[in-house]
C-alpha cells in the first residue's frame, strides 16, 4: 500500500467509517502532501533550501497561501525529519491543516502538538506579517522557540521568544521576528503598554496578523476570566495597614469574624465590630466618617482569613510574590487590587510596594480577538467546544492519536478526612516506589507539595519538588521525572505542556520503565475543571506509552468544602471518619456531578465578565483609534480653536514643529488621564451596581447607561485637559520639559477576577445587614446606601489603588482572588 493509500485508510479508520465529516475533509490534502514525500527525500539540502526560497517568494508576491500549502507542508515535514530527527505523522499533518483553517485542534497529550503547529505557523509567516505562538508559560515559550528554531531557520524565517523581564528593545526585536513564541499575558501587557506610548518609536508590537494558541482551552477559557490591568506608580502614600494588622491579630475567628460557606468572603460579627471599635477608639465603625477605617480593617481581615502563604503567594527576597492559579508559577510585577496587596505585605512584615493608578485594562477574551486570524491546539478542547464557538467563533477538530492511548485511569480513591488521605498517599507512593516505577504527584499548592515531600522524607523516600519556590529547577526536574525510581511532586507547573519521557532525559531506561507500567500519575485533589484533571492524567500514556493515573480525594478537600460539595452528598452516604477509603460509587458520582456544577458556575462568571467588559471594550477601541491618530501626527487643533493667542505666542518661541510635538504629547496625556478616570468610575459603578436590583432595575442595563454617560464625560474632558495643561506650561527659549508635564509610565502590572453576584460588594451587604428589616426596608434604603458606599469607594480610589477581585467587597471582606 502506497503513502496516499495509507493516508486514506488512516482517515477512514480514525474517523469511524465516515462519522466525522470534518476529519474526512482533510483526506485529499493529506494524500497530496504524502505524495510529495518520496521526491523530497531524494532532494539535496541545497535543493530544499531553493524550494523554501521559491515558496517564500511566491507568498510575498501575492500568491495565496492555500496555493502553496501542499508543497510547503511536505517541505516542512522533510526539513523537520532532517533538522530535528522527527518526521510529522499523518495525524500531525492533519492537525496542522486544521490550525491553518482556523480551528481548535484537539490532539491527545504526547501526540506532538508543538511540531504539528510548525507547518501552519511557518506558512502564515511566509508573507512577512509575523505570527504569534501563544504558549502556556514562559518556560514553554523559550523551549519551543529553541526546539523548533532549526526548522524555521532552514525555511529562511526568523524565530524569537518573549519572557518576563525583557527590556523594551529586546521585546521590539522579538516581535519583529517572523515567528514569536510568548504567553498571552506578555502579549497582552505589551499591547496595553503600547497603548500608552508617547512616540511611535516606543511601540514594541507591530500590527497583529495571526495567533496560534497552545493549550487553547486553558488560555481561551479558564484564563479568560482574568482581565489584564496596567498601572502607573503614584508615590508611596501609606495607609493604616500596620495599625489594622494589629487590630486583626487581637480578633478571634468564629467569635469576632467568620467566612461565608464557600470561603469567598470574610465579615465581622457584631462582637467583632464592637471589639474593633474598642481597639481603634473610633466610635461607630459604620458611621460615614469611619468608612476609610472600616475598609482598611476588612482588608486586613481578608489578608488574615482568606489569603494563605504558600498557597496564594510566597514570600521571597523580602517580597510578597503571587502564585498564578493556572500555571503554579510566580508572576512578576503582579499586585492585588484595592489595597489588599498592602494588607498582605503588612501581615508578612515585608516592605510595602508602590501604589498604582489603573491606566488601561483589557480582558484576554477581547485581546485575543484583536488577531485577524486565530486558531489553537490542546488535548482537552471538546468539553469546551460550545464555549469556544460562542466566544470566539472557533470550531473544534478532534484528531485521533497516532497510537492508541493505553493509559489506565483508575477510579478515584475517596477518604473521609485529610489525615487518612495523607497516610494513604505516602503508603501508595512507597509501594510503587519500591518497584522502581517513576511517580508524578500533582498537588494543588506550594504548601501541599512541601508538606507531602516532608511526609515522604520521614518515610525514607527521596523526591524532587517542583513549585513556584523552585521554578529555576524546572527543566532539570521534568527531564528526569520519567527515570526509574524517581518521585516528583509538582504543583500545576507539570500539569500542562510538559513532556515527561519514559526512561529519563535521553530515554535510556525506556524498556525498564515501560515494563514496570510506565509513569504513574497521582492527583491529590480534584480541580475546578475536569479538563485540568485530564491534563494531569495526560502526563502519562503519551504516544502509546504505558501509564496509569489515580486521584486521591478527601471529603475535607478545599474544593469540596469551599463550594459546599460535601453538603450535596446525601446523609445516608456520608460515612463516619475512617482510615480506610470509602468504596462507594455514589460518592464518586456525586463528586463528578459537583465538579460539573462548579464548571457551570465558572462559565457563568466568564459570561458575566464578557457582558460587562464587552461594552467597555467598544469604548476602548473608539478612544484607542483616536489616540493612534494623534500618535501618528493627526493633531486635533484644540489650541488653535480655544486659545489661539497663547498658541501663537508659543509658536514664536518654539517654532511650529516643536509646538506640534508639545500639543501631541499634551493630547496623548489628556486621553490617557481621561480614560484612566473613566475606568476608575466604571470600576466603582461595577462594584456596587447590584444594589439597583433592590429597586427592581437591571444591573447590566444601568451599568451600560452609566458607562455611556461616563464615556461622554471622558471625551468632553480631553480638550479641557489639553488646554489646562498648555496654559500651565513654562515655555522658554530652551523649550518645554515634556517629561514633567506628562503622566508617569506604568511601572507595575497585575490581574484580577471579576464576578457578577448579587451583593458582590461586601460593603453593601454589610450596610444592608446593619439596616435590618429585610428586603423591603433594604430597598427603601438603597439610595442613601449607594451614597455611603460611593464615599468609601471614592476614598479608596483617592489612595491610588486599582479595583477588582472576584468578589470586590472592600468593607465587608474581599472575595478570594482566584
Amino acid at each position: 500500500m502506497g503513502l496516499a493509500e495509507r493516508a486514506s485508510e488512516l482517515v477512514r479508520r480514525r474517523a469511524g467509517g465516515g462519522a466525522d465529516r470534518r476529519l474526512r475533509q482533510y483526506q485529499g490534502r493529506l494524500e497530496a502532501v504524502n505524495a510529495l514525500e518520496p521526491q523530497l527525500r531524494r532532494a539535496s539540502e541545497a535543493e530544499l533550501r531553493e524550494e523554501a526560497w521559491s515558496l517564500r517568494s511566491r507568498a510575498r508576491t501575492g500568491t495565496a497561501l492555500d496555493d502553496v500549502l501542499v508543497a510547503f507542508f511536505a517541505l516542512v515535514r522533510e526539513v523537520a525529519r532532517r533538522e530535528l530527527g522527527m518526521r510529522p505523522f499523518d495525524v500531525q499533518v492533519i492537525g496542522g491543516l486544521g490550525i491553518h483553517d482556523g480551528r481548535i485542534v484537539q490532539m491527545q497529550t504526547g501526540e506532538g502538538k508543538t511540531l504539528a503547529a510548525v507547518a501552519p505557523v511557518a506558512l502564515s509567516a511566509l508573507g512577512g506579517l509575523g505570527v504569534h505562538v501563544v504558549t502556556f508559560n514562559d518556560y514553554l515559550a523559550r523551549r519551543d522557540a529553541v526546539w523548533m528554531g532549526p526548522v524555521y531557520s532552514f525555511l529562511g524565517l526568523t524565530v524569537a521568544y518573549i519572557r518576563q523581564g525583557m527590556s523594551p528593545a529586546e521585546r521590539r526585536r522579538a516581535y519583529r521576528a517572523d515567528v514569536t513564541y510568548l504567553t498571552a499575558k506578555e502579549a497582552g501587557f505589551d499591547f496595553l503598554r503600547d497603548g500608552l506610548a508617547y512616540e511611535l518609536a516606543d511601540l514594541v508590537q507591530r500590527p497583529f496578523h495571526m495567533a496560534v494558541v497552545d493549550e487553547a482551552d486553558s488560555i481561551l477559557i479558564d484564563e479568560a476570566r482574568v482581565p489584564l490591568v496596567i498601572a502607573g506608580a503614584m508615590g508611596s502614600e501609606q495607609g493604616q495597614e500596620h495599625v489594622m494588622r494589629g487590630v486583626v491579630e487581637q480578633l478571634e475567628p468564629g467569635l469576632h469574624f467568620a467566612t461565608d460557606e464557600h470561603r469567598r468572603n470574610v465579615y465581622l460579627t457584631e462582637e467583632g465590630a464592637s471589639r474593633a471599635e474598642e481597639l481603634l477608639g473610633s466610635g461607630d465603625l459604620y458611621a460615614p466618617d469611619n468608612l476609610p477605617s472600616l475598609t482598611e480593617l476588612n482588608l486586613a481581615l481578608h489578608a488574615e482569613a482568606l489569603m494563605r502563604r504558600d498557597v496564594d503567594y510566597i514570600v521571597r527576597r523580602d517580597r510578597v510574590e503571587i502564585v498564578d492559579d493556572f500555571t503554579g508559577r510566580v508572576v512578576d510585577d503582579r499586585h492585588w487590587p484595592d489595597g489588599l496587596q498592602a494588607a498582605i505585605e503588612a501581615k508578612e512584615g515585608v516592605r510595602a510596594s508602590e501604589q498604582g493608578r489603573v491606566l488601561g485594562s483589557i480582558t484576554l477574551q477581547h485581546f485575543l480577538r484583536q488577531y485577524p486570524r486565530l486558531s489553537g491546539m490542546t488535548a482537552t478542547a471538546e468539553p469546551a467546544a460550545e464555549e469556544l464557538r460562542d466566544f470566539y467563533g472557533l470550531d473544534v477538530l478532534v484528531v485521533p492519536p497516532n497510537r492508541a492511548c493505553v493509559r489506565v485511569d483508575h477510579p478515584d480513591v475517596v477518604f473521609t478526612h485529610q489525615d487518612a488521605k495523607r497516610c494513604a498517599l505516602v503508603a501508595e507512593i512507597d509501594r510503587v516506589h519500591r518497584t522502581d516505577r517513576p511517580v508524578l504527584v500533582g498537588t494543588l499548592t506550594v504548601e501541599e507539595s512541601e508538606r507531602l515531600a516532608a511526609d515522604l522524607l520521614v518515610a525514607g523516600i527521596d523526591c524532587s519538588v517542583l513549585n513556584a519556590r523552585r521554578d529555576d529547577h524546572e527543566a532539570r526536574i521534568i527531564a528526569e521525572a520519567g527515570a526509574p525510581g524517581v518521585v516528583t511532586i509538582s504543583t500545576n507547573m507539570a500539569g500542562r505542556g510538559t513532556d515527561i519521557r519514559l526512561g529519563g532525559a535521553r530515554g535510556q531506561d525506556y524498556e525498564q520503565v515501560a515494563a514496570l507500567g510506565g509513569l504513574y500519575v497521582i492527583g491529590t485533589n480534584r480541580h475546578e475543571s475536569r479538563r485540568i484533571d485530564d491534563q494531569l492524567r495526560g502526563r502519562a500514556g503519551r504516544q502509546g506509552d504505558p501509564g496509569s493515573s489515580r486521584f486521591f480525594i478527601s471529603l475535607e478537600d478545599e474544593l469540596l468544602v469551599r463550594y459546599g460539595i460535601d453538603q450535596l452528598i446525601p446523609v445516608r452516604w456520608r460515612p463516619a471518619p475512617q482510615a480506610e477509603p470509602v468504596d462507594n460509587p455514589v460518592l464518586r458520582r456525586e463528586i463528578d456531578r459537583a465538579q460539573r456544577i462548579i464548571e457551570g458556575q465558572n462559565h457563568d462568571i466568564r459570561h458575566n465578565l464578557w457582558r460587562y467588559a464587552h461594552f467597555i471594550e467598544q469604548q476602548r477601541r473608539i478612544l484607542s483609534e483616536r489616540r493612534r491618530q494623534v500618535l501618528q501626527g493627526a493633531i486635533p487643533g484644540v489650541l488653535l480653536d480655544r486659545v489661539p493667542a497663547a498658541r501663537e505666542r508659543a509658536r514664536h518661541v518654539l517654532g511650529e514643529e516643536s509646538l506640534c510635538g508639545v500639543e501631541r504629547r499634551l493630547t496623548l496625556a489628556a486621553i490617557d488621564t481621561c480614560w484612566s478616570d473613566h475606568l476608575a468610575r466604571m470600576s466603582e459603578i461595577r462594584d456596587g451596581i447590584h444594589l439597583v436590583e433592590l429597586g427592581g432595575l437591571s444591573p447590566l442595563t444601568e451599568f451600560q447607561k452609566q458607562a455611556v454617560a461616563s464615556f461622554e464625560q471622558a471625551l468632553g474632558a480631553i480638550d479641557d485637559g489639553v488646554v489646562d495643561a498648555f496654559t500651565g506650561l513654562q515655555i522658554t527659549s530652551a523649550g518645554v520639559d515634556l517629561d514633567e508635564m506628562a503622566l508617569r509610565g506604568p511601572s507595575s502590572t497585575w490581574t484580577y477576577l471579576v464576578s457578577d453576584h448579587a451583593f458582590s460588594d461586601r460593603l453593601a451587604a454589610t450596610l444592608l445587614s446593619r439596616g435590618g428589616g429585610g428586603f423591603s426596608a433594604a430597598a427603601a434604603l438603597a439610595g442613601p446606601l449607594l451614597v455611603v458606599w460611593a464615599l468609601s469607594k471614592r476614598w479608596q480610589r483617592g489612595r491610588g489603588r486599582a479595583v477588582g477581585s472576584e468578589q470586590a467587597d472592600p468593607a465587608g471582606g474581599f472575595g478570594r482572588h482566584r
Side-chain angles (χ1 to χ4, degrees), residues 311-584:
V311 176
D312 305 299
Y313 63 91
I314 63 173
V315 177
R316 186 167 56 178
R317 296 184 292 269
D318 196 37
R319 290 180 54 200
V320 169
E321 298 183 336
I322 297 176
V323 177
D324 188 290
D325 279 352
F326 299 110
T327 68
R329 290 168 170 80
V330 164
V331 185
D332 290 342
D333 297 325
R334 183 182 294 184
H335 289 179
W336 281 293
D338 285 330
L340 181 57
Q341 181 81 22
I344 294 175
E345 288 165 345
K347 170 186 175 181
E348 298 296 343
V350 302
R351 60 183 175 86
S353 55
E354 287 186 293
Q355 301 176 41
R357 171 188 176 91
V358 171
L359 302 179
S361 175
I362 190 170
T363 68
L364 275 176
Q365 288 172 333
H366 287 111
F367 168 68
L368 290 167
R369 287 167 64 98
Q370 306 285 316
Y371 290 88
R373 296 183 61 202
L374 182 66
S375 57
M377 50 193 178
T378 183
T380 46
E382 203 167 22
E386 181 179 354
E387 194 166 349
L388 288 167
R389 189 179 304 110
D390 291 345
F391 280 129
Y392 300 97
L394 297 173
D395 288 328
V396 171
L397 173 69
V398 179
V399 177
N402 184 61
R403 296 178 181 175
C405 179
V406 296
R407 184 186 66 243
V408 178
D409 296 322
H410 297 287
D412 293 350
V413 184
V414 182
F415 295 88
T416 57
H417 56 292
Q418 285 276 11
D419 287 343
K421 183 179 81 170
R422 287 177 61 186
C423 291
L425 275 169
V426 173
E428 177 72 354
I429 294 169
D430 181 50
R431 180 187 69 79
V432 176
H433 177 62
R434 290 177 184 275
T435 70
D436 245 7
R437 185 181 180 188
V439 180
L440 172 67
V441 185
T443 62
L444 199 62
T445 65
V446 174
E447 177 186 56
E448 184 186 14
S449 67
E450 294 179 345
R451 184 175 61 234
L452 179 56
D455 291 343
L456 293 178
L457 183 62
V458 171
I461 302 172
D462 289 331
C463 64
S464 298
V465 179
L466 178 58
N467 60 34
R469 215 191 312 276
R470 295 172 52 82
D471 50 7
D472 52 336
H473 300 290
E474 178 172 10
R476 177 183 57 79
I477 292 174
I478 290 298
E480 295 300 327
V486 171
V487 176
T488 307
I489 301 173
S490 177
T491 57
N492 283 357
M493 291 176 68
R496 280 185 185 265
T498 51
D499 191 0
I500 298 175
R501 190 173 183 179
L502 293 191
R506 297 182 303 278
Q508 64 274 17
D509 295 312
Y510 176 87
E511 296 298 335
Q512 176 187 349
V513 173
L516 292 170
L519 182 68
Y520 182 30
V521 172
I522 299 177
T524 65
N525 295 270
R526 283 291 194 98
H527 293 82
E528 292 187 2
S529 168
R530 288 166 295 170
R531 289 180 289 106
I532 301 176
D533 292 341
D534 290 342
Q535 286 286 346
L536 178 60
R537 288 190 178 98
R539 298 314 98 194
R542 302 164 74 83
Q543 293 199 18
D545 287 343
S548 61
S549 71
R550 191 190 304 271
F551 277 75
F552 282 63
I553 309 298
S554 157
L555 298 182
E556 294 180 344
D557 286 350
E558 180 186 357
L559 183 73
L560 306 190
V561 174
R562 177 153 51 94
Y563 284 94
I565 294 173
D566 55 333
Q567 301 303 316
L568 296 178
I569 300 172
V571 175
R572 65 180 182 277
W573 299 116
R574 293 175 61 86
Q578 61 185 51
E580 298 75 22
V582 181
D583 187 15
N584 190 329

Side-chain angles (χ1 to χ4, degrees), residues 605-660:
I605 289 174
R606 291 189 293 269
H607 179 66
N608 288 326
L609 168 63
W610 174 267
R611 293 194 304 162
Y612 284 89
H614 188 65
F615 203 76
I616 301 301
E617 171 62 13
Q618 306 315 304
Q619 298 176 334
R620 186 200 64 77
R621 292 192 178 197
I622 293 170
L623 204 59
S624 178
E625 176 59 23
R626 179 171 176 178
R627 194 185 193 282
R628 184 190 64 81
Q629 293 175 358
V630 173
L631 185 64
Q632 293 177 341
I635 306 301
V638 62
L639 297 182
L640 187 60
D641 294 338
R642 299 273 293 270
V643 285
R647 188 187 188 281
E648 181 63 18
R649 288 193 298 272
R651 188 180 69 82
H652 280 298
V653 176
L654 300 174
E656 182 65 26
E657 183 177 351
S658 294
L659 178 58
C660 285

Side-chain angles (χ1 to χ4, degrees), residues 243-258 266-280 285-286 293-294 296-302 304-305 811:
V243 173
M244 296 306 173
R245 175 63 192 164
V247 171
V248 166
E249 287 177 334
Q250 300 182 64
L251 301 181
E252 297 180 23
L255 175 62
H256 295 134
F257 62 87
V266 60
Y267 54 90
L268 288 169
T269 63
E270 290 291 338
E271 292 85 353
S274 299
R275 177 60 174 156
E277 289 167 353
E278 176 186 336
L279 293 169
L280 290 170
L285 193 57
Y286 295 88
S293 296
L294 177 61
E296 291 201 278
L297 175 60
N298 278 280
L299 284 165
L301 198 61
H302 175 85
E304 170 66 22

